[in-house]
Amino acid sequence: MDIIKQFDNIGKDYINGQEKFFSNRADKAREFILKSLPELKDKKVLDIGCGHGKDINIYESLGAEVYGIDASEVMIEEAKKNVGHPERLFLGNFENTPFEEKYFDVIIGRHSMHFLDSFDNVYKEMARILKKKGIFILVVQHPIKDLFLQESKLYGDKEIIKVTLY
């Protein structure tokens, strides 16, 4: 199965698991992002891997004009039910977005890029659509955690590993 499309199969279970998991504990990634954000009033923000839109709601409440992109059709459909501007959500990948050059003030990727095979094209695309002096906030799982789950234990080896989501 295409890893990026995996959420088409588990989307609603993932959302329920995430809500349950964070119902009684802090979401450290979200806390880090919120601490790292500039003033968002009247800023254009892109949430890459926007999932079901919970973070978009937070950024909208801070006064931002927020867009989201996700590779999962299920997640985009769920997000459209939850955000203030569903017309700003796009199904697609991060390597080739539909956005104009130098469009965003802030781009946020929360646990979305560590599923990709190659970061180079994504970084080029983010540089293309991010304004000069824009901010790119990226939160990923530490690669050492994946290394512990690999059979080969050789950093840089690629293999599919089983992870527990919430």
Side-chain angles (χ1 to χ4, degrees), residues 12-79:
K12 291 185 181 182
D13 290 335
Y14 175 82
I15 293 166
N16 292 334
Q18 188 180 49
E19 293 297 323
K20 184 178 176 185
F21 184 82
F22 289 117
S23 68
N24 62 356
R25 64 179 51 88
D27 185 334
K28 297 294 185 182
R30 185 173 286 130
E31 288 175 8
F32 169 79
I33 289 169
L34 291 173
K35 254 185 357 187
S36 303
L37 287 172
E39 168 66 42
L40 289 186
K41 182 145 179 55
D42 300 322
K43 301 283 191 208
K44 289 185 174 132
V45 174
L46 175 62
D47 184 352
I48 58 172
C50 65
H52 65 292
K54 186 168 184 173
D55 291 337
I56 289 176
N57 285 330
I58 295 169
Y59 310 141
E60 285 177 337
S61 75
L62 297 172
E65 180 181 316
V66 187
Y67 295 78
I69 189 166
D70 201 291
S72 168
E73 191 171 340
V74 168
M75 296 307 253
I76 288 291
E77 291 307 312
E78 289 299 313

Side-chain angles (χ1 to χ4, degrees), residues 20 24 29 33 45 61 64 85 87-88 90 97 151-152 159:
K20 184 178 176 185
N24 62 356
I33 289 169
V45 174
S61 75
H85 293 277
E87 72 279 5
R88 295 182 187 155
F90 297 87
T97 70
E151 285 185 28
S152 73
E159 64 182 71

Side-chain angles (χ1 to χ4, degrees), residues 88-161:
R88 295 182 187 155
L89 300 178
F90 297 87
L91 178 66
N93 67 52
F94 314 148
E95 295 178 3
N96 186 19
T97 70
F99 306 111
E100 297 173 23
E101 284 190 27
K102 311 300 179 210
Y103 191 74
F104 292 102
D105 299 288
V106 179
I107 298 175
I108 303 163
R110 179 176 174 262
H111 295 298
S112 56
M113 284 187 52
H114 59 269
F115 292 109
L116 304 176
D117 288 330
S118 172
F119 297 112
D120 292 347
N121 291 336
V122 175
Y123 286 129
K124 287 176 188 172
E125 181 64 3
M126 296 303 108
R128 184 186 73 78
I129 63 175
L130 188 63
K131 290 179 181 176
K132 187 174 185 173
K133 298 195 179 193
I135 296 172
F136 183 27
I137 300 172
L138 182 61
V139 176
V140 296
Q141 177 173 294
H142 196 287
I144 198 72
K145 184 174 181 182
D146 291 338
L147 181 63
F148 286 135
L149 296 172
Q150 283 182 199
E151 285 185 28
S152 73
K153 305 297 184 217
L154 295 174
Y155 189 79
D157 277 4
K158 288 185 177 187
E159 64 182 71
I160 294 177
I161 57 174

